[in-house]
Amino acid sequence: MVAPAVSPESSPDSPDSSGIPEPPGKPDRPPRWHVLVRTLAAAAAGVLLYLSGPPRTLWWLAPIAFAVLGWVLAGRRARAGFGYALCFGLGYLVPLLAWTGEFVGLVAWLPLALAEAVLVALSGAAIAVATVLPAWPVWAALLWVAGEALRSVFPFGGFPWGNIAFTQPEGSYLPLAAVGGTPLIALAVTLTGFGLAALARRLVRRELGVRRLVTPVLATVVPVAAAFGALPLVGTDANDGEATVAVVQGNVPRAGLDFNAQRRAVLDNHVARTVRLADDIAAGREPQPDLVIWPENSSDIDPFRNPDAYAGIERAAKAVKAPIAVGSVLVGDDGLPRNTMLLWDPERGPVNQYTKRQLQPFGETMPFRSFFRLFTSTVDRAGRFVPGDKATIFDMAGARIGLATCYEVAFDGVVRDSARGSNLLAVPTNNATFGYTEMTYQQLAMDRVRAVEHGREVAVAATSGVSAFVRPDGSVSRQTGLFTDAALVERVPLRSTTTLSDRLGSSTEWVLTILGLGALAAAVVVRRRRPVSK
């Protein structure tokens, strides 16, 4: 199925159609102030998109941002679309990714933001071309989804941190995650925005006939109606039992890069906080947990190589009388580290392990390390971690725990694999190196989207915050603050239901992407017959 390659002169939905035939030849170059206004509008729209996301709850700014972008791109050439969308991408991604500079400085933050903005610009060029088609908001939204699919795999193994779905944990579009995952949310948000843009263009031009307005009105309204229609598909019942879960946030001595030099203190903090939790349980102030989740890097000291670390974890497990998922760094025979979660039984010790599969560039790994070292030596602060190769379910007191460690929660396929066969999701994370930036709140938004997408309670354990319990409907029942020690204990539902999103898997994204690319091919044919604006 592709968009019909009709002549734009006969199309009631063509963005620049006015019933007046276009003169032959190339159109006049627009005044420079027009270009400047559109450039500023595109950049401002990107900032609006950034402001729509966490820790703010201004989710409704996202479709408005795309309405502005759609207005700017409609009827433009591909080259102009690329430039305007580049400004949009920079307005969004430069502030969104500021936290990456906390670890290795500007050499990571600005090049990464620029690289991602260039990929956004490619989407903008394609969208500009597609606006010549009837019902262009539909094709534009599909092409945005195709762009997100590209950014999820390229560069550096993909970087989907800026996906539109992650701006929507408070939004009306969130139930769509249970139907089609993050791609469907992106489609709905962008379709609403582009529909608003098309509607505004019609109204400004006084094109008020029903035939002229029906497509933009439907594009604006249908995604919102679909989101409300998906509400019954968001389940919260405990259809596989319940479990009492504790998440321990031991905190770090100091925020920032010194975290990696404080490994023993961090382990001691988590042991001590777990022992304090055991004291609270013995005193009746907290219920006995069935299982405990520690954060990523809670034991950066390899317990198999360090008897003191082993003894400390064992003491904590015996004190709390429950199995603990321990975030550790194991050193392989090759001398390289692995970011590994260990399942630590209070009686048998370590009985299972999961190694993080999707490593964070500019943190756990450093792409093009030799090249970037020409500009700054801070690149060598980034690690040389080795990724794992498979998902692992931890069987903890009857609960089947699927694990997505920190950065992995941004990746659809990684979390989908982890959710398969589980009845509870855990996200152990370490955000201490990123200080008081928005990174931890952006990641919590991803946890909330994943809860709805897979129909699971999500237990988030962070070294320094924010730790939380996220219900299967995406709401947060309890959470900690930043850079404080805490232990949260909660009775949570275990759910084995497979959502429609899980059943469809990656096919949703593939189908939407193929439809978008088919529309782009049709638009290229149409554009060859018609001059367009610059």
mmCIF file of all heavy atoms in Angstrom, residues 124-159:
data_model
loop_
_atom_site.group_PDB
_atom_site.id
_atom_site.type_symbol
_atom_site.label_atom_id
_atom_site.label_comp_id
_atom_site.label_asym_id
_atom_site.label_seq_id
_atom_site.Cartn_x
_atom_site.Cartn_y
_atom_site.Cartn_z
ATOM 1 N N GLY A 124 13.009 15.367 8.010
ATOM 2 C CA GLY A 124 12.384 16.612 7.583
ATOM 3 C C GLY A 124 12.406 16.784 6.076
ATOM 4 O O GLY A 124 11.424 17.249 5.470
ATOM 5 N N ALA A 125 13.508 16.400 5.448
ATOM 6 C CA ALA A 125 13.581 16.479 3.992
ATOM 7 C C ALA A 125 12.538 15.572 3.350
ATOM 8 O O ALA A 125 11.851 15.960 2.390
ATOM 9 C CB ALA A 125 14.988 16.099 3.530
ATOM 10 N N ALA A 126 12.414 14.368 3.860
ATOM 11 C CA ALA A 126 11.428 13.426 3.321
ATOM 12 C C ALA A 126 10.006 13.933 3.538
ATOM 13 O O ALA A 126 9.151 13.835 2.651
ATOM 14 C CB ALA A 126 11.615 12.059 3.971
ATOM 15 N N ILE A 127 9.745 14.490 4.711
ATOM 16 C CA ILE A 127 8.406 15.009 5.007
ATOM 17 C C ILE A 127 8.070 16.168 4.081
ATOM 18 O O ILE A 127 6.939 16.276 3.566
ATOM 19 C CB ILE A 127 8.323 15.432 6.483
ATOM 20 C CG1 ILE A 127 8.325 14.193 7.389
ATOM 21 C CG2 ILE A 127 7.078 16.280 6.747
ATOM 22 C CD1 ILE A 127 8.518 14.501 8.852
ATOM 23 N N ALA A 128 9.025 17.059 3.843
ATOM 24 C CA ALA A 128 8.788 18.180 2.938
ATOM 25 C C ALA A 128 8.392 17.682 1.553
ATOM 26 O O ALA A 128 7.461 18.198 0.922
ATOM 27 C CB ALA A 128 10.028 19.058 2.858
ATOM 28 N N VAL A 129 9.075 16.654 1.074
ATOM 29 C CA VAL A 129 8.740 16.078 -0.225
ATOM 30 C C VAL A 129 7.335 15.488 -0.206
ATOM 31 O O VAL A 129 6.549 15.667 -1.149
ATOM 32 C CB VAL A 129 9.777 15.003 -0.611
ATOM 33 C CG1 VAL A 129 9.336 14.243 -1.858
ATOM 34 C CG2 VAL A 129 11.135 15.641 -0.849
ATOM 35 N N ALA A 130 6.972 14.812 0.878
ATOM 36 C CA ALA A 130 5.689 14.107 0.950
ATOM 37 C C ALA A 130 4.502 15.047 1.097
ATOM 38 O O ALA A 130 3.360 14.618 0.890
ATOM 39 C CB ALA A 130 5.710 13.115 2.111
ATOM 40 N N THR A 131 4.733 16.302 1.456
ATOM 41 C CA THR A 131 3.589 17.212 1.653
ATOM 42 C C THR A 131 2.875 17.551 0.360
ATOM 43 O O THR A 131 1.823 18.196 0.385
ATOM 44 C CB THR A 131 4.044 18.520 2.337
ATOM 45 O OG1 THR A 131 5.041 19.170 1.547
ATOM 46 C CG2 THR A 131 4.570 18.252 3.733
ATOM 47 N N VAL A 132 3.405 17.146 -0.785
ATOM 48 C CA VAL A 132 2.715 17.359 -2.051
ATOM 49 C C VAL A 132 1.549 16.391 -2.230
ATOM 50 O O VAL A 132 0.682 16.588 -3.082
ATOM 51 C CB VAL A 132 3.715 17.217 -3.227
ATOM 52 C CG1 VAL A 132 4.044 15.763 -3.491
ATOM 53 C CG2 VAL A 132 3.190 17.892 -4.487
ATOM 54 N N LEU A 133 1.498 15.335 -1.430
ATOM 55 C CA LEU A 133 0.495 14.286 -1.596
ATOM 56 C C LEU A 133 -0.818 14.649 -0.916
ATOM 57 O O LEU A 133 -0.847 15.394 0.064
ATOM 58 C CB LEU A 133 1.009 12.972 -1.018
ATOM 59 C CG LEU A 133 2.215 12.332 -1.691
ATOM 60 C CD1 LEU A 133 2.667 11.121 -0.899
ATOM 61 C CD2 LEU A 133 1.887 11.938 -3.128
ATOM 62 N N PRO A 134 -1.931 14.087 -1.419
ATOM 63 C CA PRO A 134 -3.181 14.181 -0.659
ATOM 64 C C PRO A 134 -3.000 13.530 0.715
ATOM 65 O O PRO A 134 -2.227 12.587 0.867
ATOM 66 C CB PRO A 134 -4.173 13.378 -1.507
ATOM 67 C CG PRO A 134 -3.555 13.282 -2.862
ATOM 68 C CD PRO A 134 -2.076 13.320 -2.659
ATOM 69 N N ALA A 135 -3.708 14.057 1.704
ATOM 70 C CA ALA A 135 -3.631 13.523 3.074
ATOM 71 C C ALA A 135 -2.197 13.525 3.578
ATOM 72 O O ALA A 135 -1.749 12.599 4.260
ATOM 73 C CB ALA A 135 -4.235 12.121 3.152
ATOM 74 N N TRP A 136 -1.463 14.606 3.273
ATOM 75 C CA TRP A 136 -0.033 14.616 3.593
ATOM 76 C C TRP A 136 0.282 14.447 5.080
ATOM 77 O O TRP A 136 1.352 13.904 5.411
ATOM 78 C CB TRP A 136 0.627 15.881 3.039
ATOM 79 C CG TRP A 136 0.258 17.177 3.719
ATOM 80 C CD1 TRP A 136 -0.685 18.069 3.327
ATOM 81 C CD2 TRP A 136 0.866 17.739 4.889
ATOM 82 N NE1 TRP A 136 -0.731 19.141 4.186
ATOM 83 C CE2 TRP A 136 0.215 18.973 5.149
ATOM 84 C CE3 TRP A 136 1.890 17.329 5.742
ATOM 85 C CZ2 TRP A 136 0.549 19.788 6.224
ATOM 86 C CZ3 TRP A 136 2.226 18.137 6.817
ATOM 87 C CH2 TRP A 136 1.564 19.354 7.056
ATOM 88 N N PRO A 137 -0.569 14.883 6.034
ATOM 89 C CA PRO A 137 -0.212 14.652 7.441
ATOM 90 C C PRO A 137 0.001 13.174 7.780
ATOM 91 O O PRO A 137 0.844 12.832 8.609
ATOM 92 C CB PRO A 137 -1.400 15.232 8.209
ATOM 93 C CG PRO A 137 -1.952 16.295 7.303
ATOM 94 C CD PRO A 137 -1.801 15.710 5.925
ATOM 95 N N VAL A 138 -0.755 12.293 7.111
ATOM 96 C CA VAL A 138 -0.606 10.863 7.369
ATOM 97 C C VAL A 138 0.783 10.390 6.938
ATOM 98 O O VAL A 138 1.491 9.709 7.685
ATOM 99 C CB VAL A 138 -1.686 10.060 6.621
ATOM 100 C CG1 VAL A 138 -1.465 8.556 6.804
ATOM 101 C CG2 VAL A 138 -3.076 10.465 7.101
ATOM 102 N N TRP A 139 1.175 10.780 5.719
ATOM 103 C CA TRP A 139 2.463 10.332 5.194
ATOM 104 C C TRP A 139 3.615 10.980 5.956
ATOM 105 O O TRP A 139 4.656 10.340 6.175
ATOM 106 C CB TRP A 139 2.539 10.634 3.706
ATOM 107 C CG TRP A 139 1.292 10.236 2.984
ATOM 108 C CD1 TRP A 139 0.428 11.056 2.329
ATOM 109 C CD2 TRP A 139 0.734 8.916 2.891
ATOM 110 N NE1 TRP A 139 -0.637 10.335 1.823
ATOM 111 C CE2 TRP A 139 -0.470 9.018 2.155
ATOM 112 C CE3 TRP A 139 1.125 7.669 3.350
ATOM 113 C CZ2 TRP A 139 -1.270 7.922 1.860
ATOM 114 C CZ3 TRP A 139 0.322 6.573 3.079
ATOM 115 C CH2 TRP A 139 -0.852 6.698 2.355
ATOM 116 N N ALA A 140 3.424 12.223 6.361
ATOM 117 C CA ALA A 140 4.464 12.896 7.146
ATOM 118 C C ALA A 140 4.688 12.189 8.476
ATOM 119 O O ALA A 140 5.833 11.988 8.915
ATOM 120 C CB ALA A 140 4.086 14.356 7.369
ATOM 121 N N ALA A 141 3.594 11.790 9.144
ATOM 122 C CA ALA A 141 3.712 11.087 10.423
ATOM 123 C C ALA A 141 4.395 9.735 10.236
ATOM 124 O O ALA A 141 5.233 9.326 11.053
ATOM 125 C CB ALA A 141 2.329 10.913 11.048
ATOM 126 N N LEU A 142 4.061 9.040 9.156
ATOM 127 C CA LEU A 142 4.702 7.754 8.888
ATOM 128 C C LEU A 142 6.196 7.930 8.637
ATOM 129 O O LEU A 142 7.018 7.112 9.078
ATOM 130 C CB LEU A 142 4.035 7.090 7.686
ATOM 131 C CG LEU A 142 2.622 6.550 7.913
ATOM 132 C CD1 LEU A 142 1.962 6.203 6.587
ATOM 133 C CD2 LEU A 142 2.642 5.334 8.827
ATOM 134 N N LEU A 143 6.560 8.998 7.950
ATOM 135 C CA LEU A 143 7.981 9.236 7.700
ATOM 136 C C LEU A 143 8.729 9.618 8.970
ATOM 137 O O LEU A 143 9.916 9.318 9.114
ATOM 138 C CB LEU A 143 8.141 10.324 6.629
ATOM 139 C CG LEU A 143 7.846 9.850 5.201
ATOM 140 C CD1 LEU A 143 7.719 11.020 4.244
ATOM 141 C CD2 LEU A 143 8.937 8.881 4.732
ATOM 142 N N TRP A 144 8.041 10.277 9.911
ATOM 143 C CA TRP A 144 8.704 10.540 11.196
ATOM 144 C C TRP A 144 9.005 9.220 11.914
ATOM 145 O O TRP A 144 10.090 9.036 12.468
ATOM 146 C CB TRP A 144 7.844 11.439 12.077
ATOM 147 C CG TRP A 144 8.557 11.742 13.360
ATOM 148 C CD1 TRP A 144 8.495 11.023 14.530
ATOM 149 C CD2 TRP A 144 9.504 12.780 13.576
ATOM 150 N NE1 TRP A 144 9.341 11.566 15.460
ATOM 151 C CE2 TRP A 144 9.972 12.645 14.910
ATOM 152 C CE3 TRP A 144 9.990 13.818 12.792
ATOM 153 C CZ2 TRP A 144 10.913 13.514 15.457
ATOM 154 C CZ3 TRP A 144 10.924 14.683 13.342
ATOM 155 C CH2 TRP A 144 11.381 14.519 14.659
ATOM 156 N N VAL A 145 8.051 8.297 11.884
ATOM 157 C CA VAL A 145 8.277 6.984 12.499
ATOM 158 C C VAL A 145 9.453 6.278 11.817
ATOM 159 O O VAL A 145 10.292 5.650 12.483
ATOM 160 C CB VAL A 145 7.002 6.125 12.425
ATOM 161 C CG1 VAL A 145 7.274 4.705 12.917
ATOM 162 C CG2 VAL A 145 5.878 6.755 13.238
ATOM 163 N N ALA A 146 9.539 6.389 10.498
ATOM 164 C CA ALA A 146 10.663 5.783 9.778
ATOM 165 C C ALA A 146 11.979 6.395 10.240
ATOM 166 O O ALA A 146 12.987 5.685 10.393
ATOM 167 C CB ALA A 146 10.482 5.976 8.274
ATOM 168 N N GLY A 147 11.983 7.704 10.489
ATOM 169 C CA GLY A 147 13.187 8.351 10.992
ATOM 170 C C GLY A 147 13.575 7.847 12.366
ATOM 171 O O GLY A 147 14.771 7.645 12.651
ATOM 172 N N GLU A 148 12.592 7.635 13.229
ATOM 173 C CA GLU A 148 12.894 7.084 14.554
ATOM 174 C C GLU A 148 13.439 5.661 14.440
ATOM 175 O O GLU A 148 14.321 5.270 15.218
ATOM 176 C CB GLU A 148 11.649 7.118 15.437
ATOM 177 C CG GLU A 148 11.261 8.519 15.902
ATOM 178 C CD GLU A 148 10.343 8.516 17.111
ATOM 179 O OE1 GLU A 148 9.850 7.428 17.487
ATOM 180 O OE2 GLU A 148 10.128 9.601 17.686
ATOM 181 N N ALA A 149 12.922 4.906 13.493
ATOM 182 C CA ALA A 149 13.446 3.552 13.290
ATOM 183 C C ALA A 149 14.921 3.607 12.899
ATOM 184 O O ALA A 149 15.734 2.804 13.379
ATOM 185 C CB ALA A 149 12.632 2.834 12.211
ATOM 186 N N LEU A 150 15.280 4.564 12.053
ATOM 187 C CA LEU A 150 16.686 4.712 11.667
ATOM 188 C C LEU A 150 17.538 5.103 12.861
ATOM 189 O O LEU A 150 18.615 4.530 13.089
ATOM 190 C CB LEU A 150 16.806 5.772 10.569
ATOM 191 C CG LEU A 150 18.233 6.161 10.148
ATOM 192 C CD1 LEU A 150 18.968 4.956 9.561
ATOM 193 C CD2 LEU A 150 18.196 7.319 9.156
ATOM 194 N N ARG A 151 17.063 6.049 13.652
ATOM 195 C CA ARG A 151 17.859 6.511 14.795
ATOM 196 C C ARG A 151 17.972 5.453 15.885
ATOM 197 O O ARG A 151 18.847 5.541 16.745
ATOM 198 C CB ARG A 151 17.249 7.797 15.375
ATOM 199 C CG ARG A 151 17.279 8.953 14.404
ATOM 200 C CD ARG A 151 17.034 10.282 15.090
ATOM 201 N NE ARG A 151 15.738 10.385 15.728
ATOM 202 C CZ ARG A 151 14.613 10.698 15.102
ATOM 203 N NH1 ARG A 151 14.624 10.910 13.786
ATOM 204 N NH2 ARG A 151 13.473 10.791 15.749
ATOM 205 N N SER A 152 17.122 4.450 15.838
ATOM 206 C CA SER A 152 17.193 3.372 16.825
ATOM 207 C C SER A 152 18.293 2.361 16.518
ATOM 208 O O SER A 152 18.609 1.533 17.368
ATOM 209 C CB SER A 152 15.841 2.642 16.916
ATOM 210 O OG SER A 152 14.847 3.496 17.437
ATOM 211 N N VAL A 153 18.855 2.438 15.325
ATOM 212 C CA VAL A 153 19.919 1.501 14.959
ATOM 213 C C VAL A 153 21.198 2.190 14.518
ATOM 214 O O VAL A 153 22.256 1.553 14.410
ATOM 215 C CB VAL A 153 19.448 0.533 13.846
ATOM 216 C CG1 VAL A 153 18.313 -0.342 14.336
ATOM 217 C CG2 VAL A 153 19.034 1.304 12.586
ATOM 218 N N PHE A 154 21.140 3.505 14.277
ATOM 219 C CA PHE A 154 22.296 4.233 13.752
ATOM 220 C C PHE A 154 22.274 5.647 14.312
ATOM 221 O O PHE A 154 21.213 6.254 14.421
ATOM 222 C CB PHE A 154 22.220 4.257 12.217
ATOM 223 C CG PHE A 154 23.322 5.051 11.565
ATOM 224 C CD1 PHE A 154 24.546 4.453 11.299
ATOM 225 C CD2 PHE A 154 23.137 6.392 11.218
ATOM 226 C CE1 PHE A 154 25.561 5.184 10.688
ATOM 227 C CE2 PHE A 154 24.147 7.119 10.617
ATOM 228 C CZ PHE A 154 25.364 6.518 10.356
ATOM 229 N N PRO A 155 23.432 6.219 14.697
ATOM 230 C CA PRO A 155 24.773 5.621 14.721
ATOM 231 C C PRO A 155 25.063 4.951 16.056
ATOM 232 O O PRO A 155 24.219 4.975 16.965
ATOM 233 C CB PRO A 155 25.673 6.849 14.527
ATOM 234 C CG PRO A 155 24.935 7.948 15.246
ATOM 235 C CD PRO A 155 23.457 7.655 15.043
ATOM 236 N N PHE A 156 26.234 4.404 16.210
ATOM 237 C CA PHE A 156 26.726 3.826 17.456
ATOM 238 C C PHE A 156 25.798 2.737 17.990
ATOM 239 O O PHE A 156 25.599 2.604 19.190
ATOM 240 C CB PHE A 156 26.907 4.906 18.527
ATOM 241 C CG PHE A 156 27.579 6.154 18.054
ATOM 242 C CD1 PHE A 156 27.019 7.401 18.309
ATOM 243 C CD2 PHE A 156 28.755 6.097 17.331
ATOM 244 C CE1 PHE A 156 27.624 8.556 17.866
ATOM 245 C CE2 PHE A 156 29.380 7.256 16.879
ATOM 246 C CZ PHE A 156 28.810 8.492 17.151
ATOM 247 N N GLY A 157 25.192 1.956 17.082
ATOM 248 C CA GLY A 157 24.264 0.923 17.508
ATOM 249 C C GLY A 157 22.889 1.450 17.826
ATOM 250 O O GLY A 157 22.038 0.726 18.329
ATOM 251 N N GLY A 158 22.656 2.717 17.488
ATOM 252 C CA GLY A 158 21.350 3.332 17.720
ATOM 253 C C GLY A 158 21.333 4.191 18.965
ATOM 254 O O GLY A 158 22.046 3.929 19.942
ATOM 255 N N PHE A 159 20.524 5.244 18.890
ATOM 256 C CA PHE A 159 20.380 6.131 20.038
ATOM 257 C C PHE A 159 18.951 6.674 20.053
ATOM 258 O O PHE A 159 18.681 7.798 19.612
ATOM 259 C CB PHE A 159 21.397 7.278 19.966
ATOM 260 C CG PHE A 159 21.513 8.059 21.250
ATOM 261 C CD1 PHE A 159 22.231 7.549 22.326
ATOM 262 C CD2 PHE A 159 20.897 9.286 21.390
ATOM 263 C CE1 PHE A 159 22.331 8.262 23.512
ATOM 264 C CE2 PHE A 159 20.987 10.008 22.571
ATOM 265 C CZ PHE A 159 21.712 9.500 23.629
#
